[in-house]
Amino acid sequence: EPEVTQTPSHQVTQMGQEVILRCVPISNHLYFYWYRQILGQKVEFLVSFYNNEISEKSEIFDDQFSVERPDGSNFTLKIRSTKLEDSAMYFCASSSLGNEQFFGPGTRLTVL
Amino acid sequence: QKEVEQDPGPLSVPEGAIVSLNCTYSNSAFQYFMWYRQYSRKGPELLMYTYSSGNKEDGRFTAQVDKSSKYISLFIRDSQPSDSATYLCAMSLYGNNRLAFGKGNQVVVIP
């Protein structure tokens, strides 16, 4: 069964460093999303991406964040200068025209 | 008022019991309703997906949506220890739109 994959599973970085989180969505899906979940809190929407552009973003997704689909299979989230409060699980999701969003296993980001 | 409210529990039930979970929401424009299951430190796994009001059944799982009351429910019949997980409700305004999640309800099924 096709699934969303994410790498790395765990990323440790120093405050102020740039990180890139990678995702491979399900191959025939057209819509891509990033969410995050701070420990003990709700899953929060960050950004959605369709047709090579951002379709919606939340107030969390400020100038420190960017997304890219560099080729036909990968979807990345870049955080330019990480802060302590960026420590969270980051989930990639994808959907086809049917709207059901399928999530990857997540990348745990730890900012020291 | 929070957009999506879900009592975090935890909820402990004996094996074979019916598990009943629910969420309320404030935005009457939500049209798509989902339940996800999440095991510890894993990604949410889609369980049920419904559009607008009504019931949907899939095996031991039943999802109900009451848009007039802004209330959705998930029932798990004949619960198994493998059903022990956190259950998240989620909803969206329209297709392929951002999901708004509840906080999640931790369920423990005791053998």
Side-chain angles (χ1 to χ4, degrees):
Chain A
E1 187 172 321
E3 58 184 17
V4 177
T5 59
Q6 291 185 243
T7 54
S9 57
H10 188 195
Q11 174 91 50
V12 181
T13 190
Q14 295 290 326
M15 191 169 55
Q17 295 296 303
E18 175 183 287
V19 294
I20 298 176
L21 310 183
R22 302 179 194 281
C23 168
V24 179
I26 294 172
S27 64
N28 62 344
H29 283 186
L30 303 174
Y31 298 83
F32 314 112
Y33 313 83
W34 283 102
Y35 292 83
R36 78 172 185 191
Q37 186 177 31
I38 295 170
L39 190 63
Q41 298 188 23
K42 289 184 181 186
V43 176
E44 301 173 289
F45 169 77
L46 292 177
V47 66
S48 58
F49 191 87
Y50 170 71
N51 200 24
N52 283 319
E53 60 182 28
I54 290 173
S55 46
E56 189 181 5
K57 60 184 180 179
S58 72
E59 57 279 3
I60 302 168
F61 194 88
D62 61 21
D63 292 344
Q64 293 300 310
F65 292 87
S66 63
V67 289
E68 194 178 31
R69 187 152 163 84
D71 53 43
S73 59
N74 290 283
F75 180 51
T76 62
L77 175 70
K78 183 194 291 187
I79 309 175
R80 263 181 268 284
S81 177
T82 50
K83 307 183 189 70
L84 294 176
E85 54 265 35
D86 293 327
S87 294
M89 284 289 285
Y90 287 81
F91 296 109
C92 173
S94 68
S95 65
S96 65
L97 294 174
N99 189 52
E100 294 115 310
Q101 293 183 28
F102 295 89
F103 283 71
T107 292
R108 183 154 63 103
L109 177 65
T110 302
V111 182
L112 303 176
Chain B
Q1 187 178 12
K2 291 181 183 175
E3 195 170 40
V4 182
E5 300 221 40
Q6 184 177 9
D7 183 355
L11 179 66
S12 291
V13 298
E15 184 175 352
I18 294 176
V19 175
S20 173
L21 306 171
N22 57 75
C23 287
T24 58
Y25 60 94
S26 57
N27 188 346
S28 57
F30 283 133
Q31 296 190 79
Y32 294 87
F33 304 91
M34 286 134 269
W35 286 93
Y36 285 85
R37 177 172 62 196
Q38 187 177 30
Y39 293 111
S40 182
R41 293 187 177 269
K42 301 291 185 187
E45 173 194 356
L46 183 63
L47 276 180
M48 300 289 283
Y49 169 78
T50 52
Y51 170 70
S52 196
S53 282
N55 293 358
K56 185 174 183 177
E57 192 172 313
D58 184 1
R60 297 184 294 112
F61 297 89
T62 300
Q64 290 183 348
V65 175
D66 182 349
K67 289 189 72 181
S68 61
S69 303
K70 291 185 272 189
Y71 186 92
I72 69 171
S73 302
L74 178 71
F75 301 96
I76 308 172
R77 288 183 299 282
D78 186 25
S79 56
Q80 304 295 310
S82 57
D83 294 327
S84 298
T86 296
Y87 291 81
L88 310 172
C89 64
M91 48 201 76
S92 67
L93 297 174
Y94 51 86
N96 305 111
N97 181 234
R98 70 170 184 94
L99 297 180
F101 279 87
K103 198 169 182 183
N105 208 168
Q106 187 183 0
V107 172
V108 178
V109 180
I110 302 165

